[in-house]
Amino acid sequence: IEPAFSQAQAASEIVAVVNKNPITSTDVARRAAFLRLQRQKSDTKTAREQLVEEALKREEIARVRMSVSTSDVDQAYARFAASNKLSPEQLTKVLAQAGVGAPHFKEYIAVQMSWAASSRSSLQPPCSTCPSAISAACWHRNCQRTGSR
């Protein structure tokens, strides 16, 4: 087992660390491949930035305990496959051939679904004109638009 681990380490180097969580060159390559499938800008910088943002979201999701279940993710994966006239198994093969892999896509789905759920609950003001909730929503939108954190 050790030689395979060494080969994996050699093939993938840490390119960023987000609050003690490493992002590897393999992670970045998978995200770039995923972006290519979506016909989006797929350079290394864009892929790395998305993964950093996703790591920050994952931490916040864990903090507020709003993670969706594996079952929810699997159902979303199956719906995505069906909407593209594929079975989940066929989608898994397509993702593998594209260099993305089903686990990477499912992690992406989990973060997107969990983030949406946590954002909905955290942005619900206790009253209709709660200034702190409004400012938090504006700050969140501004950060997304400008890329600042």
Side-chain angles (χ1 to χ4, degrees):
I1 296 174
E2 208 170 49
F5 181 73
S6 297
Q7 288 174 350
Q9 269 185 319
S12 185
E13 63 184 45
I14 294 173
V15 296
V17 177
V18 180
N19 298 330
K20 299 182 184 179
N21 295 310
I23 295 173
T24 67
S25 55
T26 301
D27 297 329
V28 172
R30 284 187 183 121
R31 180 52 56 97
F34 181 56
L35 291 169
R36 276 192 296 282
L37 279 179
Q38 296 175 318
R39 301 188 196 295
Q40 294 183 22
K41 185 177 179 184
S42 61
D43 60 87
T44 302
K45 181 178 184 258
T46 301
R48 187 178 58 245
E49 287 173 353
Q50 276 197 8
L51 289 169
V52 167
E53 183 173 328
E54 198 169 285
L56 293 169
K57 286 179 178 180
R58 211 177 354 264
E59 282 189 8
E60 180 63 12
I61 290 163
R63 186 186 71 77
V64 298
R65 298 178 187 188
M66 292 292 292
S67 185
V68 296
S69 71
T70 302
S71 173
D72 290 339
V73 173
D74 289 341
Q75 288 173 12
Y77 185 83
R79 281 191 306 273
F80 182 83
S83 71
N84 285 284
K85 298 181 179 22
L86 299 169
S87 69
E89 295 78 19
Q90 289 171 316
L91 177 59
T92 297
K93 286 180 184 175
V94 168
L95 292 170
Q97 289 171 346
V100 177
H104 183 85
F105 185 47
K106 286 183 177 185
E107 286 175 24
Y108 174 83
I109 292 170
V111 170
Q112 296 305 310
M113 290 175 69
S114 298
W115 185 250
S118 69
S119 293
R120 277 193 303 272
S121 72
S122 68
L123 291 178
Q124 301 247 339
C127 62
S128 61
T129 57
C130 177
S132 61
I134 293 168
S135 1
C138 292
W139 177 83
H140 177 72
R141 272 189 241 113
N142 188 44
C143 284
Q144 285 186 329
R145 199 172 32 248
T146 64
S148 60
R149 306 221 190 291

